[in-house]
Amino acid sequence: MTTINPYASTYAPGLTAGQTAAQRASQAASQAKTRDQSETINTPAVNVTLSPAAQAALKAQTDARTIETVVAEAKAQITARLKAAGAASALKDGAPAIDLTALDRRTLHAVASNKGGQFPMEQQVVAALALKSQQDAMLAGPAAQARLTGDYTSLYQAALDHLDTAGPEEKASAAWSREHEALVEGRKQAIARPGLAPAGVANDSVAAYMKETGSAVAGAKTRDFSKVAGDVRLALDKQYELAFAPEAAKDRDSGEIDFRRFDDRSLSAIALNKDDQFSTHEIAQAKAELRSRDSAAIKASYQSTADEAGGFGKAMITRYAAMTTEERQAAGWTPDLYAKMTDLQASREKLAQMFNADGSVAGPASLLDWL
């Protein structure tokens, strides 16, 4: 199988995918200084085009601002956006009231991690969503390429390059180290098993993205919901037609349905069944899959925020804010639940006590039941 590297054209001679984005940027800049020493010709011998990740990494390396300056600038920019939007809070009814995606990564991390204790919870949540949005936008192209060609090595390299654009404060965090370790392992698996997606790696942000976005339905997060449901119906019927495993579903009313290629909004279309396109069996299995994913996400959030005071509550509120209306309805994440979570965040110790260290609920059957 021929491996296609969508970033190959952005690397100058001598630059390799094994380097970090910052290393490639630095090496490329050095090469670009090579010039013809003729007395009459002084033209660059190497014309280097850096990838967006390499440019961002180089910019991060040369960011000489103090963290105090970063925090002050972040506060000013958020204040300006709130004023322009006529909003008193960065969140309204669990959705962002302002757009922070244009802010640089170091600034967003300062807000999301509440550097200096300068940012209220809702601003931290919106900044965390903006960081995720930036990462999702970066992964979209390489992920589509990986699904088409099986080139997961380039996908994981792209994720590592993006991670390398973090500022010094973020790189010093345990969360950054965990994600870096996971992406390195993912890339290692991708190299060892060409064409196969890495699996079983804790804190793997690429695997989480691939599962979240799916591939069976295009644009499922933003398209008209009834059209999403129609595409899901066609995708399921095609899946049944091609199924061959004995236990696999071959019709609408029996068997195990493979939902791995379906994102959460597509599953919500089945679970909510607004246009009566899905069978009782399909609805039940979609709801079970959504519960399983929700439980896994809660567990991962609990474990990844164990060393951050109030981090778990903020992660749950961020999860709510990232959901579409239909995803909230299908999962049972109601406005009342959101209000209770924000109230409980003020007494975050109580929220953390609702869950065991393994992510399971300490007592009642679900987060929704407890609240």
Side-chain angles (χ1 to χ4, degrees):
M1 172 180 173
T2 301
T3 299
I4 300 174
N5 183 352
Y7 299 94
S9 62
T10 65
Y11 299 155
L15 304 186
T16 69
Q19 296 172 295
T20 66
Q23 289 171 331
R24 286 199 295 276
S26 179
Q27 185 175 340
S30 176
Q31 290 181 357
K33 294 179 181 178
T34 304
R35 294 176 179 270
D36 190 320
Q37 299 303 311
S38 164
E39 294 180 0
T40 58
I41 301 176
N42 188 23
T43 304
V46 178
N47 185 16
V48 177
T49 301
L50 297 179
S51 70
Q55 293 177 40
L58 190 59
K59 182 178 179 180
Q61 278 190 323
T62 57
D63 185 353
R65 294 176 297 172
T66 65
I67 188 58
E68 291 77 16
T69 298
V70 172
V71 167
E73 291 178 353
K75 289 178 64 178
Q77 292 185 72
I78 291 174
T79 298
R81 282 167 168 77
L82 288 170
K83 183 178 180 180
S89 171
L91 282 176
K92 182 179 181 180
D93 299 327
I98 56 174
D99 183 5
L100 299 182
T101 53
L103 300 186
D104 67 89
R105 179 169 182 158
R106 190 179 177 201
T107 299
L108 287 174
H109 179 264
V111 180
S113 58
N114 194 23
K115 289 297 181 186
Q118 299 290 303
F119 305 98
M121 182 274 298
E122 64 271 13
Q123 292 182 11
Q124 297 174 44
V125 168
V126 173
L129 291 174
L131 283 169
K132 184 178 185 303
S133 178
Q134 289 181 355
Q135 182 180 50
D136 289 353
M138 178 280 304
L139 287 174
Q145 187 78 5
R147 288 186 172 113
L148 180 66
T149 67
D151 179 17
Y152 289 94
T153 300
S154 293
L155 172 59
Y156 275 82
Q157 184 63 57
L160 279 165
D161 288 350
H162 181 70
L163 194 64
D164 197 44
T165 65
E169 298 82 18
E170 185 177 357
K171 286 185 175 180
S173 69
W176 188 93
S177 297
R178 286 193 294 265
E179 184 175 358
H180 185 268
E181 182 180 351
L183 293 177
V184 169
E185 174 59 27
R187 184 177 181 276
K188 181 180 177 181
Q189 285 191 23
I191 293 172
R193 304 187 306 164
L196 295 178
V201 182
N203 305 305
D204 186 343
S205 56
V206 169
Y209 171 84
M210 297 294 276
K211 185 172 184 178
E212 178 184 334
T213 56
S215 63
V217 177
K221 273 285 189 181
T222 56
R223 294 180 63 216
D224 179 83
F225 196 55
S226 63
K227 293 180 179 179
V228 171
D231 286 351
V232 171
R233 177 71 275 160
L234 292 174
L236 281 175
D237 290 341
K238 187 64 174 180
Q239 182 170 299
Y240 300 154
E241 181 183 327
L242 299 174
F244 60 88
E247 69 279 5
K250 299 176 178 64
D251 56 50
R252 304 182 182 195
D253 300 312
S254 62
E256 296 181 13
I257 305 174
D258 184 356
F259 287 121
R260 285 177 296 179
R261 294 173 59 247
F262 293 85
D263 67 284
D264 287 356
R265 193 162 185 250
S266 296
L267 286 175
S268 299
I270 305 172
L272 296 175
N273 194 29
K274 291 189 174 183
D275 298 325
D276 295 321
Q277 297 191 60
F278 304 99
S279 69
T280 301
H281 176 70
E282 290 171 330
I283 294 169
Q285 291 222 346
K287 287 182 176 180
E289 176 67 15
L290 283 170
R291 285 195 298 271
S292 175
R293 292 186 184 187
D294 217 21
S295 177
I298 290 171
K299 176 180 177 180
S301 294
Y302 186 94
Q303 293 176 336
S304 65
T305 58
D307 56 354
E308 178 186 351
F312 177 64
K314 185 171 69 177
M316 291 296 94
I317 294 169
T318 302
R319 177 168 174 76
Y320 179 94
M323 290 177 169
T324 64
T325 300
E326 298 82 10
E327 288 169 345
R328 293 172 185 170
Q329 290 175 353
W333 290 63
T334 65
D336 284 344
L337 170 64
Y338 172 75
K340 289 178 180 179
M341 286 194 299
T342 55
D343 288 343
L344 283 172
Q345 178 63 4
S347 55
R348 56 200 181 201
E349 293 82 6
K350 183 177 180 181
L351 184 60
Q353 289 170 3
M354 293 165 51
F355 299 87
N356 298 316
D358 64 355
S360 61
V361 179
S366 70
L367 168 66
L368 307 180
D369 291 337
W370 201 96
L371 293 174

